[in-house]
Amino acid sequence: MSQHKKPSLDPRTNPFRSDVAAKYLEGKVEAQRFVEGVRREVIRPIAAVRGAHSHEARQVTEALMGERVIVYETTEEGWAWGQIESDGYVGWMSANALAAPGAAPTHKVAALRTLGFPGPDIMLPPAAALPMGALLAIAREAGPFSVTPSGLHIPSVHLALMRETKSDFVTVAELFLGTPYLWGGKTALGIDCSGLVQVALQAAGMACPRDSDMQEQALGRPSSIPELRRGDLVFWKGHVAIARNSGSLLHANAHHMAVAIEPAVDAIARIGDAGSYVTSVKRL
């Protein structure tokens, strides 16, 4: 008599551990207890999401201001374990970076970065530095500023309505040129290869998983290096680059330790010399 094993679920996007799991996974995974999550809002401009409840643990991604997180556990030490709603990523965050949700976001930061001031005066010391993709509920306009319920004044020229999208995600990605490479990063302070793809595609209104292997599986249709054109995604094991045209790639990478542009043939050869080869090209 054959036994059918339950398909394994990816813990990066399914909130379960041996001791606790999301209630909706009951019957799909084994855990000591299953809990209903509590919805929270990220209240810091950038919140590190880590693989363990320690400030020394590896950052796996970042959550941005205004994003919603479903929290399944909060420890006495001030760590929250939960799942980001936008891309489903699971990890540990500082509980101080979260609060009960406020008004629904109406706008998002569309510039690479912007500053929030405590009043309608650009000569005031900024109260916050906000990254592209941060979500904001705007209560009113005050001259050139958009004002949040808490009184943060943000230059309106740096914001877009939630429904607005960029027409070319590659142009968005190019804004990050020179940004330092940061594992798990997704802002102009530091970004990794899949974070660059995700942020750029989200700005263009396209849903995108967080990690490069997820992106390779979920996005686009097969293409090839000889047919490379702007917007194609080139994948290696653990890496992804964006084609700017038929001959050059844009990618956040640890060789340059930055977001860089290089000829496609050079990048493919360099990465190949390190023992990794192109696994696919995807056209969106």
Side-chain angles (χ1 to χ4, degrees):
M1 179 177 175
S2 63
Q3 293 183 339
H4 297 283
K5 296 178 69 175
K6 293 180 180 178
S8 58
L9 298 178
D10 191 337
R12 293 174 297 175
T13 53
N14 290 277
F16 69 93
R17 310 195 315 256
S18 61
D19 56 335
V20 63
K23 184 72 173 177
Y24 72 84
L25 292 177
E26 192 166 8
K28 298 180 180 179
V29 299
E30 294 183 1
Q32 294 174 11
R33 59 192 177 94
F34 294 86
V35 298
E36 296 284 358
V38 179
R39 200 166 190 242
R40 290 289 181 259
E41 176 182 345
V42 179
I43 56 173
R44 289 181 181 171
I46 307 168
V49 180
R50 303 189 182 278
H53 48 96
S54 166
H55 290 293
E56 285 72 48
R58 176 183 290 182
Q59 176 174 281
V60 293
T61 189
E62 291 174 323
L64 307 183
M65 178 174 279
E67 287 199 278
R68 270 43 175 177
V69 178
I70 306 300
V71 174
Y72 295 98
E73 182 184 34
T74 303
T75 71
E76 293 181 356
E77 294 78 23
W79 289 95
W81 180 71
Q83 183 174 34
I84 301 171
E85 283 192 347
S86 61
D87 63 9
Y89 218 88
V90 175
W92 292 90
M93 304 173 58
S94 170
N96 291 332
L98 303 171
T106 58
H107 292 69
K108 57 188 175 183
V109 175
L112 192 61
R113 50 189 173 267
T114 191
L115 298 173
F117 299 91
D121 185 348
I122 61 172
M123 289 185 284
L124 292 172
L130 304 175
M132 176 183 286
L135 308 178
L136 301 162
I138 298 302
R140 59 187 177 87
E141 304 292 327
F145 295 98
S146 296
V147 187
T148 69
S150 66
L152 197 63
H153 288 62
I154 299 129
S156 298
V157 69
H158 289 165
L159 302 181
L161 292 170
M162 289 291 291
R163 66 175 180 270
E164 292 182 41
T165 59
K166 300 290 188 179
S167 59
D168 178 15
F169 86 94
V170 183
T171 300
V172 178
E174 288 170 337
L175 295 174
F176 287 86
L177 187 63
T179 296
Y181 181 85
L182 174 66
W183 184 274
K186 60 179 194 180
T187 78
L189 293 177
I191 200 163
D192 65 15
C193 64
S194 55
L196 179 64
V197 171
Q198 185 186 55
V199 169
L201 285 178
Q202 287 177 339
M206 299 176 63
C208 178
R210 178 59 180 89
D211 292 344
S212 61
D213 63 318
M214 300 174 181
Q215 294 170 355
E216 184 173 19
Q217 184 175 11
L219 299 176
R221 64 185 189 276
S223 187
S224 65
I225 294 297
E227 298 175 319
L228 199 65
R229 73 183 189 196
R230 185 175 179 86
D232 286 352
L233 301 178
V234 182
F235 290 95
W236 295 257
K237 184 178 180 180
H239 188 58
V240 60
I242 302 167
R244 295 179 66 244
N245 49 47
S246 62
S248 66
L249 300 176
L250 174 76
H251 55 154
N253 66 89
H255 176 76
H256 297 93
M257 283 307 297
V259 177
I261 295 169
E262 61 181 319
V265 291
D266 292 355
I268 292 167
R270 175 176 59 76
I271 297 171
D273 288 343
S276 184
Y277 302 95
V278 172
T279 53
S280 71
V281 177
K282 292 296 191 73
R283 180 155 297 161
L284 303 179

